[in-house]
Amino acid sequence: MKRITLLFIVVLATSFLSCEGPEGPQGATGYSAEATVYETLPINFLAPSFGVFYVFPQAALPSDHVLVYRLSGVDSGADVWQLIPQYRYFSDGTFDFAYNFDATRFDVNIFLEGNDLQTLNDNFRLGQIFRIVIIPGQFANKGGKITLDLNDYNAVIKAYNIDERKIKTIQ
């Protein structure tokens, strides 16, 4: 019995000692499943492109969703953000211009489109600020659809627990 107990203790002690060893190399950094928000510096939409192109500091995943909001004003001290595309029409109902964008997982192109952008009031072309919100695809429900009202910037920020103090400026 003493031999079995002694053998058991030796095997147990050896197994604990064999767990020690040098630490291996650090693995690759993983992808953060947090929503990310970038804010642009004021943009002036000028000829000939009437647009601006940004490369994301970190590529998004192919399943991520890219949303772009335009600062359209201030109400009682709070910023008012509107989801784009945003279409504007003349009083007779014909198309005037639009804020629009296209995006890949690496970049976003924000631009004006319309018939005569050179004559567009400077209030619509100059000093425009945008927020680009990247929502990881894993937050979508089945079928890859988001059930949240994406038109409501504040609801999006709240739903994805975005800390507005951590918004990054993009240039």
Side-chain angles (χ1 to χ4, degrees):
M1 184 69 168
K2 286 184 180 181
R3 286 185 183 180
I4 293 174
T5 305
L6 183 59
L7 181 62
F8 179 75
I9 291 172
V10 170
V11 170
L12 188 61
T14 305
S15 66
F16 281 121
L17 291 176
S18 65
C19 291
E20 292 291 323
E23 190 173 315
Q26 183 164 347
T29 55
Y31 177 78
S32 173
E34 296 178 354
T36 304
V37 180
Y38 300 106
E39 184 171 306
T40 68
L41 296 174
I43 295 171
N44 294 326
F45 291 106
L46 304 171
S49 68
F50 290 97
V52 64
F53 183 82
Y54 294 105
V55 175
F56 297 136
Q58 178 181 351
L61 292 177
S63 60
D64 289 350
H65 303 276
V66 178
L67 307 171
V68 180
Y69 295 87
R70 178 181 154 269
L71 180 62
S72 64
V74 177
D75 183 20
S76 302
D79 292 340
V80 177
W81 296 97
Q82 290 183 318
L83 183 66
I84 67 172
Q86 196 178 88
Y87 298 95
R88 303 287 176 131
Y89 298 92
F90 291 113
S91 58
D92 67 359
T94 58
F95 176 69
D96 185 7
F97 75 96
Y99 296 100
N100 210 338
F101 78 100
D102 58 47
T104 71
R105 55 184 291 240
F106 304 104
D107 54 54
V108 64
N109 181 27
I110 303 171
F111 54 92
L112 282 176
E113 59 184 344
N115 296 321
D116 194 6
L117 298 176
Q118 287 284 59
T119 61
L120 190 60
N121 186 307
D122 286 350
N123 292 336
F124 295 112
R125 287 189 312 109
L126 306 179
Q128 300 298 309
I129 297 174
F130 295 85
R131 285 200 174 158
I132 301 130
V133 181
I134 302 174
I135 301 171
Q138 74 179 38
F139 289 134
N141 67 6
K142 289 184 179 182
K145 295 180 182 174
I146 298 175
T147 57
L148 179 67
D149 179 10
L150 300 178
N151 289 305
D152 185 348
Y153 172 81
N154 294 317
V156 171
I157 294 303
K158 184 177 179 182
Y160 296 109
N161 296 318
I162 296 170
D163 184 349
E164 288 196 294
R165 295 173 299 192
K166 294 182 180 179
I167 293 174
K168 302 167 188 153
T169 302
I170 193 169
Q171 299 184 22

